[in-house]
Each structure stands twice: as structure tokens, then as C-alpha cells.
């Protein structure tokens, strides 16, 4: 029997989304795909392909400036159509025009030792899908993890109940990962989707979001101390590792939840990583696109995109909600509205159904001084002083940051705190900047 851990602090945001993964619908193939290096913190991109060059599925488009073996690969075969750059010529994304038939790279996976497996994962584009604690970046080369943590579910809004896409591939992936650590591979599951393997230890997590976040599971199972390194990833990444070693090829398929109040029919779609959002959303939107907020990802941690944008890592969710441009609302919080939402029970709607709400992109206020009210603790299940940690990060006080647990956290762990924050601070951005600052100063 697996260990059961109950998460009491947290919160499930009521977003109306009812389909199950079994109802996955197919979509016509997209003509455009893209890889975005900003989705992978710790990756410093250098071009491996130029505009107009052909590429196979699984062939590198970008490599890491600090480790040439670490690559971002193309999800399809075709031609590099465009390299989009931002400020200071930073690479924003590499767009690929897909062939009608996909030509796929094959990899040699037999007889590899630990170093060989590591090199293969780097060159196959799977290394960048893992996250290292501390700093929440792609794992540093040459630093073996104390343990490896796998979250088999995502508790964020509109997520599938299980991230395991193929049980055979998952078991093989866990076996491969077990050879990369002298410690254990821990799997976090929901009680109704338990899975055990001979090469891992399973823990069951019952409770609201963020129960599916790796940081929460790490802290409840075996916390990270200063000087230690652990790896974390989703079960979908483990399945792709297993698929590579079972079939010698990469699997770029993904199961995407498309939903939100501007979507006509919420559903799961069989898609390809990096796919065009226009291909996923056309014919399934209600209203004018210019009046919508399109989010590649869930509503808490996703990336704001346009209809001409692309699916971002971890390639699980696309959310579409109304974009509200009104600066001031008459009577503001004092106005009684039957569809208004408030975590603190400001409006009477909390007396009704808790199943779903019609969320929009309005934040109802501007940034202000930090209100030390202990509100973060209501949704933060980790044993940290969240408000004091945020203040230490803003002050760039390294000693305080270490004492308050920054080595254990990732930006996504503050998404719910940001959602309910009366100070309207961009907490995820603050934590990301703090982690980057700490890594730069200490390394």
C-alpha cells in the first residue's frame, strides 16, 4: 500500500471543464510549428539551423551555449521558416513549416551506461523537460541528483486527471531514470490513479491544487536541503523517455485541454508539441478574437499569446477568456454582481455553486504595497513563510532567502498566492527573478 499524504491548504479554482481524456478528438495537421527557448529556464540558446534549412523531427534546432549537447529539437520535419528575435536579438522562437509526411530521427539506445543515457537525453531534447531543485532550471551537467521526483497528475485548472499517456512507456522511463541517481525515484499520484513500479516508490496525494506541483510533493516526501540537488518532472516527460528507449524514436504527440468561457466546446485534442494555436482554436471560439485573452497553458501559470501564436511547454492546456479593457468599474468591489468571484467571500456568489465561474482577464486593481495579512498561507501548503520570502527576494537578501526556503520553490508554487493577492503583485515573476539572481551570485 502506498503512503497517503493529504493536502489541506490550497484551492481548486472553479473553471467549467468536463471532458475526460478518453474523449480526445483529432485535429487536422498544422502547417506551422514553433520551439520557444524561453519555456526552458536555464537554457541559453544558440542556433543549430538557419532559415531555409531542412530539418527532421527530433533534429536539433537550438543548442545550449553552455553545453552543446543540450538541445531543443524540432517536433516535425520540414523547413526552418522563420527565426523570431526580440530585444537585443534574443531568440524568441524558431518556426518550422511542416512537410506533408514526417521524417523522423532514430537514436541508438542499446548498451548505454549512465553517461551515455545522459548524453542521449540531452541530444534528443528530453533533458530540457526536467527541472532541477534548487533554482527550477534544466539540470546542470555533471551533477547527479540525490533523488528524482515524478508528478503523475496536474492539479491546475482544466488538467487531465493523469499525465501517464502510456503505461508501458512510463514504466520503462522510470527504469531509465533510476539509473541516473544513487537515490530513489518517487512518484506522486492521485489515489484513484495509483501506479507502482519495481524501480520507484509511490506516494498518493489527496487534496486541492497545488497538490500536483513537484515542489509540494518534494517537500512532503523528502525536502531539499542546501547543497543538495534533486530533479523533478511530469509523468508525460517520463513517458517520452520510455518511448525513446522502447522504440528508438521520439514521440511529439500531446493531449491538450482547450477550454474557457470563450470556447464553444471544451475538449481534449490530440495535438503535436509546438502546434499553431490557430489550428487548435479556429471554429471553436465564441465572439471576436480581439476581445479574448488567449493563454497557452493554464490560467494560473500560462503564457499570454495571440491567435497567431504557438503551444508552449508543457503543452497541456490552452485557455481562452474575455479580455476586459475597462479601467474602472462603477462601485467596484461594493457592486453586487451575481457572476462576480472573490476568494475572500466579498460577493454573495460564494453561497451558490462552487463548480465553476466565468473568469476574465481583469485583475480588479493595481499594484500596491505588500499587505502582510497572512493570506498566502491559506493556499500555500508548503511549510514556508511566503510573504517574508517575497520581501527577502525583493530586497535581494541572499541569507534571508536561504533561511526562508527559496531552494525548495519554483515560480508556479506562488501562482495561487498571486491569484488571491490583494497587493496585485506579480509573484511568479518576482520568484523567477529571485531564483535567477541567487543562481548567478552563488555559481
Amino acid at each position: 500500500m502506498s503512503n497517503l499524504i493529504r493536502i489541506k491548504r490550497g484551492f481548486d479554482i472553479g473553471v467549467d471543464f468536463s471532458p475526460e481524456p478518453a474523449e480526445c478528438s483529432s485535429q487536422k495537421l498544422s502547417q506551422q510549428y514553433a520551439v520557444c527557448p524561453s519555456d526552458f529556464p536555464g537554457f541559453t540558446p544558440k542556433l543549430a539551423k538557419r532559415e531555409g534549412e531542412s530539418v527532421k523531427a527530433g533534429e536539433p534546432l537550438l543548442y545550449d551555449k553552455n553545453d552543446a549537447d543540450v538541445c531543443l529539437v524540432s517536433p516535425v520535419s520540414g523547413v526552418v521558416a522563420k527565426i523570431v528575435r526580440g530585444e537585443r536579438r534574443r531568440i524568441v522562437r524558431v518556426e518550422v513549416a511542416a512537410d506533408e509526411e514526417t521524417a523522423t530521427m532514430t537514436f541508438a539506445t542499446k548498451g548505454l551506461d549512465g553517461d551515455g543515457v545522459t548524453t542521449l537525453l540531452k541530444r534528443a531534447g528530453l533533458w530540457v523537460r526536467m527541472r532541477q531543485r534548487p533554482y527550477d532550471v534544466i539540470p546542470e551537467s555533471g551533477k547527479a541528483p540525490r533523488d528524482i521526483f515524478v508528478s503523475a497528475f496536474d492539479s491546475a485548472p482544466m488538467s487531465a486527471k493523469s499525465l501517464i499517456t502510456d503505461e508501458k512507456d512510463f514504466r520503462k522511463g522510470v527504469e531509465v531514470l533510476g539509473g541516473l541517481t544513487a537515490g530513489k525515484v518517487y512518484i506522486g499520484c492521485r489515489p484513484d490513479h495509483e501506479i507502482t513500479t519495481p524501480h520507484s516508490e509511490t506516494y498518493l496525494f489527496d487534496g486541492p491544487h497545488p497538490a500536483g506541483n513537484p515542489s509540494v510533493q518534494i517537500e512532503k516526501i523528502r525536502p531539499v536541503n542546501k547543497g543538495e540537488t534533486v530533479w523533478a518532472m511530469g509523468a508525460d516527460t517520463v513517458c517520452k523517455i520510455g518511448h525513446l528507449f522502447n522504440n528508438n524514436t521520439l514521440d511529439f504527440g500531446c493531449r491538450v485541454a482547450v477550454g474557457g468561457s470563450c470556447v464553444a466546446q471544451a475538449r481534449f485534442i490530440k495535438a503535436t508539441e509546438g502546434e499553431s494555436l490557430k489550428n487548435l482554436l479556429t471554429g471553436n471560439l465564441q465572439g471576436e478574437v480581439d476581445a479574448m485573452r488567449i493563454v497557452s497553458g493554464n490560467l494560473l501559470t500560462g503564457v499570454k499569446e495571440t491567435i497567431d501564436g504557438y503551444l508552449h511547454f508543457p503543452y497541456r492546456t490552452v485557455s481562452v477568456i474575455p479580455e476586459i479593457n475597462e479601467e474602472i468599474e462603477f462601485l467596484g468591489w461594493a457592486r453586487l454582481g451575481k457572476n462576480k468571484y472573490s476568494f475572500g467571500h466579498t460577493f454573495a456568489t460564494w453561497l451558490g455553486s462552487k463548480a465553476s465561474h466565468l473568469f476574465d482577464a481583469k485583475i480588479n486593481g493595481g499594484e500596491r504595497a505588500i499587505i502582510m495579512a497572512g493570506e498566502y498561507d491559506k493556499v500555500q501548503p508548503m511549510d514556508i513563510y511566503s510573504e517574508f520570502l517575497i520581501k527577502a527576494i525583493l530586497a535581494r537578501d541572499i541569507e534571508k532567502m536561504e533561511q526562508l526556503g527559496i531552494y525548495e520553490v519554483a515560480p508556479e508554487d506562488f501562482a495561487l498566492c498571486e491569484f488571491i493577492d490583494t497587493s496585485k503583485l506579480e509573484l511568479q515573476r518576482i520568484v523567477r527573478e529571485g531564483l535567477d539572481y541567487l543562481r548567478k551570485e552563488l555559481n
Side-chain angles (χ1 to χ4, degrees):
M1 179 66 181
S2 302
N3 301 296
L4 177 62
I5 298 175
R6 297 188 185 278
I7 303 297
K8 295 183 179 179
R9 286 185 294 178
F11 187 65
D12 287 326
I13 297 175
V15 177
D16 188 15
F17 191 75
S18 56
E20 289 299 314
E23 301 172 24
C24 241
S25 59
S26 297
Q27 192 82 355
K28 68 176 183 178
L29 296 177
S30 177
Q31 296 179 334
Q32 293 286 130
Y33 296 81
V35 172
C36 304
S38 59
D39 294 342
F40 307 95
F43 183 87
T44 307
K46 298 286 286 185
L47 287 172
K49 291 286 183 178
R50 302 287 177 180
E51 286 187 11
E53 293 185 342
S54 60
V55 64
K56 291 182 178 181
E59 190 173 358
L61 290 173
L62 299 156
Y63 64 91
D64 187 14
K65 178 181 178 180
N66 302 312
D67 185 348
D69 284 335
V70 179
C71 300
L72 285 177
V73 301
S74 175
V76 293
S77 63
V79 175
V80 178
K82 189 177 182 181
I83 297 168
V84 180
R85 294 182 181 269
E87 296 179 358
R88 302 176 68 179
R89 292 187 57 77
R90 177 179 62 90
I91 300 172
V92 175
R93 64 177 179 266
V94 178
E95 299 178 2
V96 178
D99 292 333
E100 291 185 4
E101 295 186 7
T102 300
T104 306
M105 293 280 292
T106 57
F107 299 85
T109 61
K110 306 300 181 184
L112 298 177
D113 58 10
D115 291 339
V117 170
T118 296
T119 301
L120 175 61
L121 294 178
K122 290 178 178 180
R123 293 177 178 174
L126 295 173
W127 187 265
V128 295
R129 298 166 183 262
M130 307 178 193
R131 292 292 176 268
Q132 170 193 294
R133 300 289 191 280
Y135 310 127
D136 188 48
V137 294
I138 63 175
E140 297 178 21
S141 299
K143 187 177 289 187
R146 184 204 70 193
D147 298 298
I148 297 175
F149 294 82
V150 177
S151 180
F153 68 99
D154 187 352
S155 55
M158 297 196 313
S159 299
K161 292 182 179 179
S162 175
L163 298 179
I164 299 175
T165 54
D166 186 287
E167 192 169 314
K168 180 182 177 182
D169 287 344
F170 179 78
R171 293 181 182 279
K172 182 64 176 179
V174 171
E175 180 184 343
V176 171
L177 291 171
L180 300 180
T181 176
K184 295 182 179 180
V185 177
Y186 295 100
I187 302 173
C189 301
R190 285 295 196 192
D192 53 348
H193 287 82
E194 181 179 359
I195 186 168
T196 59
T197 79
H199 306 92
S200 64
E201 189 172 317
T202 298
Y203 283 77
L204 304 180
F205 287 83
D206 183 29
H209 184 65
N213 285 8
S215 299
V216 174
Q217 298 179 10
I218 292 170
E219 194 217 35
K220 301 303 180 185
I221 297 173
R222 192 181 175 196
V224 184
N225 298 312
K226 185 176 180 180
E228 296 180 335
T229 299
V230 301
W231 294 353
M233 68 200 75
D236 43 358
T237 293
V238 180
C239 290
K240 293 187 182 301
I241 293 173
H243 186 276
L244 172 62
F245 281 83
N246 282 334
N247 302 280
N248 299 329
T249 59
L250 291 165
D251 173 24
F252 293 101
C254 57
R255 184 177 57 198
V256 182
V258 177
S261 54
C262 291
V263 172
Q265 181 185 2
R267 56 182 175 170
F268 282 94
I269 297 176
K270 295 177 182 177
T272 302
E273 296 173 359
E275 190 163 327
S276 164
L277 293 180
K278 182 179 291 185
N279 192 60
L280 294 173
L281 295 174
T282 297
N284 196 26
L285 296 179
Q286 303 179 107
E288 296 294 329
V289 173
D290 293 341
M292 299 177 185
R293 172 73 65 91
I294 299 175
V295 180
S296 181
N298 67 68
L299 292 175
L300 291 172
T301 62
V303 178
K304 180 182 177 181
E305 269 288 4
T306 66
I307 191 66
D308 296 318
Y310 295 87
L311 197 59
H312 285 257
F313 180 81
Y315 316 115
R316 296 174 191 159
T317 315
V318 176
S319 312
V320 190
I321 57 177
E323 182 76 84
I324 305 298
N325 296 317
E326 298 175 2
E327 289 293 330
I328 299 175
E329 184 180 6
F330 179 66
L331 293 181
W333 63 268
R335 181 179 180 180
L336 297 177
K338 68 175 184 178
N339 290 324
K340 283 182 171 291
Y341 174 82
S342 172
F343 176 79
H345 296 175
T346 302
F347 305 108
T349 47
W350 70 274
L351 294 170
S353 173
K354 298 181 180 180
S356 63
H357 295 274
L358 298 176
F359 290 100
D360 55 46
K362 192 172 184 179
I363 63 173
N364 296 314
E367 187 173 314
R368 61 205 73 168
I370 296 179
I371 301 170
M372 302 295 285
E375 62 183 355
Y376 299 167
D377 296 335
K378 298 175 183 177
V379 296
Q380 177 60 271
M382 299 178 69
D383 189 18
I384 58 175
Y385 293 105
S386 301
E387 291 171 337
F388 293 97
L389 177 56
I390 293 297
K391 292 186 71 175
I393 293 173
L394 291 171
R396 295 295 188 261
D397 188 333
I398 292 178
E399 185 176 351
K400 281 290 184 184
M401 284 191 275
E402 291 179 336
Q403 292 173 352
L404 291 167
I406 195 169
Y407 291 124
E408 301 181 54
V409 303
E412 65 180 3
D413 302 320
F414 288 79
L416 271 179
C417 300
E418 183 176 296
F419 174 70
I420 69 168
D421 186 18
T422 52
S423 300
K424 310 298 180 184
L425 299 179
E426 296 181 17
L427 299 181
Q428 294 180 80
R429 176 185 59 79
I430 291 170
V431 174
R432 178 76 270 162
E433 290 175 355
L435 291 169
D436 292 342
Y437 173 79
L438 195 67
R439 182 173 175 236
K440 180 181 178 181
E441 291 297 311
L442 297 185
N443 291 344

